[in-house]
Coordinates of all heavy atoms in Angstrom, one line a residue:
D212 N 88.3 94.8 116.8 CA 89.1 94.7 118.0 C 90.1 93.5 117.9 O 91.2 93.7 118.3 CB 88.2 94.4 119.2 CG 87.4 95.6 119.7 OD1 87.7 96.7 119.2 OD2 86.4 95.4 120.4
Q213 N 89.7 92.4 117.2 CA 90.6 91.3 117.1 C 91.6 91.4 116.0 O 92.8 91.0 116.1 CB 89.8 90.0 117.0 CG 89.2 89.6 118.3 CD 88.6 88.2 118.2 OE1 88.8 87.5 117.3 NE2 87.8 87.9 119.2
L214 N 91.1 91.9 114.8 CA 91.9 91.8 113.6 C 92.3 93.2 113.0 O 92.9 93.2 111.9 CB 91.2 91.0 112.6 CG 90.8 89.6 113.0 CD1 90.0 88.8 112.0 CD2 92.2 88.7 113.3
D215 N 91.8 94.2 113.6 CA 92.1 95.6 113.2 C 91.6 95.8 111.7 O 92.2 96.5 111.0 CB 93.6 95.9 113.3 CG 93.9 97.4 113.5 OD1 93.0 98.1 114.0 OD2 95.0 97.8 113.0
I216 N 90.4 95.2 111.4 CA 89.8 95.5 110.1 C 88.8 96.5 110.3 O 87.8 96.3 111.2 CB 89.2 94.2 109.6 CG1 90.2 93.1 109.3 CG2 88.4 94.4 108.3 CD1 89.7 91.8 109.0
I217 N 88.8 97.6 109.6 CA 87.9 98.7 109.8 C 86.5 98.3 109.5 O 86.2 97.6 108.5 CB 88.3 100.0 109.0 CG1 88.3 99.6 107.5 CG2 89.6 100.6 109.5 CD1 88.5 100.9 106.6
P218 N 85.5 98.7 110.4 CA 84.2 98.3 110.2 C 83.5 98.6 108.8 O 82.7 97.9 108.3 CB 83.4 99.0 111.3 CG 84.4 99.2 112.3 CD 85.7 99.5 111.5
E219 N 83.9 99.7 108.2 CA 83.4 100.1 106.9 C 83.7 99.1 105.8 O 83.1 99.1 104.8 CB 83.9 101.5 106.5 CG 83.4 102.6 107.4 CD 84.1 102.7 108.7 OE1 85.3 102.2 108.9 OE2 83.5 103.3 109.7
K220 N 84.8 98.3 106.0 CA 85.1 97.3 105.0 C 84.3 96.1 105.1 O 84.3 95.2 104.2 CB 86.6 97.0 105.2 CG 87.2 96.0 104.2 CD 88.7 95.8 104.5 CE 89.2 94.8 103.4 NZ 90.6 94.5 103.6
I221 N 83.6 95.9 106.2 CA 82.7 94.8 106.5 C 81.3 94.9 106.1 O 80.6 95.8 106.7 CB 82.9 94.4 108.0 CG1 84.3 94.2 108.4 CG2 82.0 93.1 108.3 CD1 84.6 94.1 109.9
K222 N 80.9 94.2 105.1 CA 79.5 94.2 104.6 C 78.9 92.9 104.7 O 79.6 91.9 104.9 CB 79.5 94.6 103.1 CG 80.3 95.8 102.7 CD 79.6 97.1 103.2 CE 80.4 98.4 102.7 NZ 80.4 99.4 103.7
L223 N 77.6 92.8 104.7 CA 76.9 91.5 104.8 C 77.4 90.5 103.8 O 77.5 89.3 104.1 CB 75.4 91.7 104.7 CG 74.7 92.3 105.9 CD1 73.2 92.6 105.6 CD2 74.8 91.4 107.1
E224 N 77.7 91.0 102.6 CA 78.0 90.0 101.6 C 79.5 89.7 101.6 O 80.0 88.8 100.8 CB 77.6 90.5 100.2 CG 78.3 91.8 99.8 CD 77.7 93.1 100.3 OE1 76.7 93.1 101.0 OE2 78.2 94.2 100.0
T225 N 80.3 90.3 102.4 CA 81.7 90.0 102.5 C 81.9 88.7 103.1 O 81.4 88.2 104.1 CB 82.4 91.1 103.4 OG1 82.1 92.4 103.0 CG2 83.9 90.9 103.5
T226 N 82.9 88.0 102.4 CA 83.2 86.6 102.9 C 84.2 86.7 104.0 O 85.0 87.7 104.0 CB 83.6 85.6 101.8 OG1 84.9 86.1 101.3 CG2 82.6 85.6 100.7
L227 N 84.2 85.7 104.9 CA 85.3 85.7 105.9 C 86.6 85.5 105.2 O 87.7 86.1 105.7 CB 85.0 84.5 106.8 CG 83.6 84.6 107.6 CD1 83.5 83.4 108.6 CD2 83.4 85.9 108.3
E228 N 86.7 84.8 104.1 CA 87.9 84.6 103.4 C 88.4 85.9 102.9 O 89.7 86.2 102.9 CB 87.7 83.6 102.3 CG 89.0 83.3 101.5 CD 88.8 82.3 100.4 OE1 88.1 81.3 100.7 OE2 89.3 82.4 99.4
E229 N 87.6 86.8 102.4 CA 88.0 88.1 101.9 C 88.7 88.9 102.9 O 89.5 89.8 102.6 CB 86.8 88.9 101.3 CG 86.4 88.3 100.0 CD 85.0 88.9 99.5 OE1 84.2 89.4 100.4 OE2 84.8 89.0 98.3
L230 N 88.2 88.7 104.2 CA 88.8 89.4 105.3 C 90.0 88.8 105.9 O 90.5 89.2 107.0 CB 87.7 89.6 106.4 CG 86.5 90.4 105.9 CD1 85.4 90.4 107.0 CD2 86.9 91.9 105.6
D231 N 90.4 87.6 105.3 CA 91.6 86.8 105.8 C 91.3 86.3 107.2 O 92.2 86.2 108.0 CB 92.9 87.6 105.7 CG 93.3 87.9 104.3 OD1 93.1 87.0 103.4 OD2 93.8 89.0 104.0
I232 N 90.0 85.9 107.5 CA 89.7 85.4 108.8 C 89.9 83.9 108.7 O 89.3 83.2 107.9 CB 88.2 85.7 109.1 CG1 88.1 87.3 109.3 CG2 87.8 84.9 110.4 CD1 86.7 87.7 109.6
E233 N 90.9 83.4 109.4 CA 91.3 82.0 109.4 C 90.5 81.2 110.5 O 89.8 81.8 111.3 CB 92.8 81.8 109.6 CG 93.5 82.5 108.4 CD 95.0 82.4 108.5 OE1 95.5 81.9 109.4 OE2 95.6 83.0 107.6
A234 N 90.8 80.0 110.6 CA 90.0 79.1 111.5 C 90.1 79.6 113.0 O 89.2 79.7 113.7 CB 90.5 77.7 111.4
L235 N 91.3 79.9 113.5 CA 91.5 80.3 114.9 C 90.8 81.6 115.1 O 90.2 81.8 116.1 CB 93.0 80.5 115.2 CG 93.3 80.9 116.6 CD1 92.7 80.0 117.7 CD2 94.8 81.1 116.9
D236 N 90.9 82.6 114.1 CA 90.2 83.8 114.2 C 88.7 83.6 114.3 O 88.1 84.3 115.1 CB 90.5 84.7 113.0 CG 92.0 85.1 112.8 OD1 92.6 85.3 113.8 OD2 92.4 85.2 111.7
R237 N 88.2 82.7 113.6 CA 86.8 82.4 113.6 C 86.3 82.0 115.0 O 85.3 82.4 115.5 CB 86.4 81.3 112.6 CG 86.4 81.7 111.2 CD 86.4 80.6 110.2 NE 85.4 79.7 110.4 CZ 84.4 79.4 109.5 NH1 84.4 80.1 108.3 NH2 83.4 78.6 109.7
V238 N 87.1 81.1 115.6 CA 86.8 80.6 116.9 C 86.9 81.7 117.9 O 86.0 81.8 118.7 CB 87.8 79.4 117.3 CG1 87.7 79.1 118.8 CG2 87.6 78.2 116.4
L239 N 87.8 82.6 117.8 CA 87.9 83.7 118.8 C 86.7 84.7 118.6 O 86.2 85.2 119.6 CB 89.3 84.4 118.6 CG 90.5 83.6 118.9 CD1 91.8 84.3 118.6 CD2 90.5 83.2 120.4
I240 N 86.4 84.9 117.3 CA 85.3 85.8 117.1 C 84.0 85.2 117.7 O 83.1 85.9 118.3 CB 85.1 86.1 115.5 CG1 86.3 86.9 115.1 CG2 83.8 86.7 115.2 CD1 86.4 87.0 113.5
L241 N 83.7 83.9 117.4 CA 82.6 83.2 117.9 C 82.6 83.2 119.5 O 81.5 83.3 120.1 CB 82.4 81.8 117.4 CG 82.1 81.7 115.9 CD1 82.3 80.3 115.4 CD2 80.6 82.1 115.7
N242 N 83.7 83.0 120.1 CA 83.8 83.1 121.5 C 83.5 84.4 122.0 O 82.7 84.5 123.0 CB 85.3 82.7 121.9 CG 85.4 82.6 123.4 OD1 84.7 81.8 124.0 ND2 86.3 83.3 124.0
D243 N 83.9 85.5 121.4 CA 83.6 86.9 121.9 C 82.1 87.1 121.7 O 81.4 87.8 122.5 CB 84.4 87.9 121.1 CG 85.8 88.0 121.7 OD1 86.2 87.3 122.7 OD2 86.7 88.8 121.2
L244 N 81.6 86.6 120.5 CA 80.2 86.8 120.3 C 79.3 86.0 121.3 O 78.3 86.5 121.9 CB 79.7 86.4 118.9 CG 80.1 87.3 117.8 CD1 80.0 86.6 116.4 CD2 79.3 88.5 117.8
G245 N 79.8 84.9 121.7 CA 79.1 84.1 122.7 C 79.1 84.8 124.1 O 78.1 84.8 124.8
D246 N 80.2 85.4 124.4 CA 80.4 86.1 125.7 C 79.4 87.4 125.6 O 78.7 87.6 126.6 CB 81.8 86.6 125.9 CG 82.7 85.5 126.2 OD1 82.3 84.4 126.5 OD2 84.0 85.8 126.2
E247 N 79.3 88.0 124.5 CA 78.5 89.2 124.3 C 77.0 88.9 124.5 O 76.2 89.6 125.2 CB 78.7 89.8 123.0 CG 77.9 91.1 122.7 CD 78.3 92.4 123.4 OE1 79.5 92.4 123.8 OE2 77.4 93.2 123.7
Y248 N 76.6 87.7 124.0 CA 75.2 87.4 124.0 C 74.8 86.2 124.9 O 73.7 85.7 124.9 CB 74.7 87.0 122.5 CG 74.7 88.2 121.6 CD1 75.7 88.3 120.6 CD2 73.8 89.2 121.7 CE1 75.7 89.5 119.8 CE2 73.8 90.3 120.8 CZ 74.8 90.5 119.9 OH 74.8 91.5 119.1
H249 N 75.8 85.8 125.7 CA 75.6 84.7 126.7 C 75.1 83.5 126.0 O 74.1 82.9 126.4 CB 74.6 85.2 127.8 CG 75.0 86.4 128.4 ND1 76.1 86.5 129.3 CD2 74.5 87.7 128.3 CE1 76.2 87.8 129.7 NE2 75.2 88.5 129.1
L250 N 75.9 83.1 124.9 CA 75.6 81.8 124.1 C 76.8 81.1 124.0 O 77.9 81.5 124.1 CB 75.1 82.3 122.8 CG 73.9 83.1 122.5 CD1 73.8 83.7 121.1 CD2 72.6 82.4 122.9
Y251 N 76.6 79.7 123.7 CA 77.7 78.9 123.2 C 77.6 78.8 121.7 O 76.5 78.2 121.2 CB 77.6 77.5 123.9 CG 78.6 76.5 123.4 CD1 80.0 76.7 123.7 CD2 78.3 75.5 122.5 CE1 81.0 75.9 123.3 CE2 79.3 74.7 122.0 CZ 80.7 74.9 122.4 OH 81.6 74.1 121.9
L252 N 78.5 79.3 121.0 CA 78.5 79.3 119.6 C 79.6 78.3 119.0 O 80.8 78.6 119.4 CB 78.7 80.7 119.0 CG 77.6 81.7 119.4 CD1 78.0 83.1 119.0 CD2 76.3 81.3 118.8
E253 N 79.3 77.4 118.2 CA 80.3 76.5 117.7 C 80.6 77.0 116.2 O 79.8 77.5 115.5 CB 79.7 75.1 117.6 CG 79.5 74.4 118.9 CD 79.1 73.0 118.8 OE1 79.7 72.3 117.9 OE2 78.2 72.6 119.5
D254 N 81.9 76.8 115.8 CA 82.3 77.0 114.5 C 81.7 76.0 113.6 O 81.6 74.8 114.0 CB 83.8 77.1 114.4 CG 84.3 77.5 113.1 OD1 83.6 78.2 112.3 OD2 85.5 77.4 112.8
N255 N 81.3 76.4 112.4 CA 80.7 75.5 111.5 C 81.1 76.0 110.1 O 81.2 77.2 109.8 CB 79.3 75.1 111.7 CG 78.3 76.2 111.1 OD1 78.4 76.5 110.0 ND2 77.4 76.6 112.0
E256 N 81.2 75.0 109.2 CA 81.6 75.4 107.8 C 80.6 76.1 107.0 O 80.9 76.6 105.9 CB 81.9 74.0 107.1 CG 83.2 73.4 107.7 CD 83.5 72.0 107.1 OE1 82.9 71.7 106.0 OE2 84.3 71.3 107.6
D257 N 79.4 76.2 107.5 CA 78.4 77.0 106.8 C 78.5 78.5 106.9 O 77.8 79.3 106.3 CB 77.0 76.7 107.3 CG 76.6 75.1 106.9 OD1 77.2 74.7 105.9 OD2 75.7 74.6 107.6
L258 N 79.4 78.9 107.7 CA 79.7 80.4 107.9 C 80.7 80.9 106.9 O 81.9 80.8 107.1 CB 80.3 80.6 109.4 CG 79.3 80.2 110.5 CD1 80.1 80.4 111.9 CD2 78.1 80.9 110.5
I259 N 80.1 81.4 105.8 CA 80.9 81.8 104.7 C 81.0 83.3 104.6 O 82.1 83.9 104.4 CB 80.3 81.3 103.3 CG1 80.1 79.8 103.3 CG2 81.2 81.7 102.1 CD1 81.3 79.0 103.4
T260 N 79.9 84.0 104.8 CA 79.8 85.4 104.7 C 79.5 86.0 106.1 O 79.1 85.3 107.0 CB 78.7 85.9 103.7 OG1 77.5 85.4 104.3 CG2 79.0 85.2 102.3
I261 N 79.6 87.3 106.2 CA 79.2 88.0 107.4 C 77.7 87.9 107.6 O 77.2 87.7 108.8 CB 79.6 89.6 107.3 CG1 81.1 89.7 107.2 CG2 79.0 90.4 108.5 CD1 81.8 89.2 108.4
A262 N 76.9 87.8 106.5 CA 75.5 87.6 106.7 C 75.2 86.2 107.3 O 74.3 86.1 108.2 CB 74.8 87.6 105.3
D263 N 76.0 85.2 106.9 CA 75.8 83.9 107.5 C 76.1 84.0 109.1 O 75.4 83.3 109.9 CB 76.8 82.9 106.9 CG 76.6 82.6 105.5 OD1 75.3 82.7 105.0 OD2 77.5 82.2 104.8
L264 N 77.1 84.7 109.4 CA 77.4 84.9 110.8 C 76.3 85.6 111.6 O 76.0 85.2 112.7 CB 78.8 85.6 110.9 CG 79.4 85.7 112.3 CD1 79.6 84.3 112.9 CD2 80.8 86.4 112.2
V265 N 75.8 86.7 111.0 CA 74.7 87.4 111.6 C 73.5 86.5 111.8 O 72.9 86.5 112.9 CB 74.4 88.7 110.8 CG1 73.0 89.3 111.3 CG2 75.4 89.7 110.8
D266 N 73.2 85.7 110.7 CA 72.0 84.9 110.8 C 72.2 83.8 111.9 O 71.3 83.5 112.7 CB 71.8 84.2 109.5 CG 71.3 85.2 108.4 OD1 70.8 86.3 108.7 OD2 71.4 84.8 107.2
Y267 N 73.4 83.3 112.0 CA 73.7 82.2 113.0 C 73.5 82.7 114.4 O 72.8 82.2 115.3 CB 75.1 81.7 112.7 CG 75.5 80.7 113.8 CD1 74.8 79.5 114.1 CD2 76.8 80.9 114.4 CE1 75.2 78.7 115.1 CE2 77.3 79.9 115.3 CZ 76.5 78.8 115.6 OH 76.9 77.9 116.6
V268 N 74.1 83.9 114.6 CA 74.1 84.5 116.0 C 72.6 84.8 116.3 O 72.1 84.5 117.4 CB 74.9 85.8 116.1 CG1 74.7 86.5 117.4 CG2 76.4 85.3 116.0
E269 N 71.9 85.4 115.4 CA 70.5 85.8 115.7 C 69.5 84.6 115.8 O 68.7 84.6 116.7 CB 70.0 86.7 114.6 CG 70.6 88.1 114.7 CD 70.1 89.1 113.6 OE1 69.4 88.7 112.6 OE2 70.5 90.3 113.7
R270 N 69.8 83.5 115.1 CA 69.1 82.3 115.3 C 69.3 81.7 116.7 O 68.4 81.3 117.3 CB 69.5 81.3 114.2 CG 68.6 80.0 114.2 CD 68.9 79.1 113.0 NE 70.4 78.8 112.8 CZ 71.1 79.3 111.8 NH1 70.7 80.1 110.9 NH2 72.4 79.0 111.8
E271 N 70.6 81.7 117.1 CA 70.9 81.2 118.4 C 70.3 82.1 119.6 O 69.9 81.5 120.6 CB 72.4 81.0 118.5 CG 73.0 80.0 117.7 CD 72.5 78.6 118.0 OE1 72.5 78.1 119.2 OE2 72.0 77.9 117.1

Side-chain angles (χ1 to χ4, degrees):
D212 288 344
Q213 287 190 8
L214 302 172
D215 206 29
I216 297 171
I217 59 171
E219 292 78 20
K220 185 176 178 182
I221 303 168
K222 309 287 184 217
L223 284 172
E224 64 276 3
T225 306
T226 67
L227 301 180
E228 186 176 316
E229 289 171 334
L230 297 173
D231 293 322
I232 295 176
E233 298 178 2
L235 180 58
D236 297 323
R237 289 164 56 117
V238 170
L239 294 173
I240 290 165
L241 288 168
N242 186 56
D243 282 358
L244 285 166
D246 289 348
E247 178 73 25
Y248 293 107
H249 308 287
L250 299 169
Y251 175 71
L252 300 171
E253 292 186 42
D254 191 12
N255 79 55
E256 295 176 9
D257 295 334
L258 300 175
I259 307 294
T260 66
I261 296 297
D263 296 333
L264 188 54
V265 169
D266 291 343
Y267 174 52
V268 171
E269 289 179 351
R270 185 173 54 251
E271 290 301 309

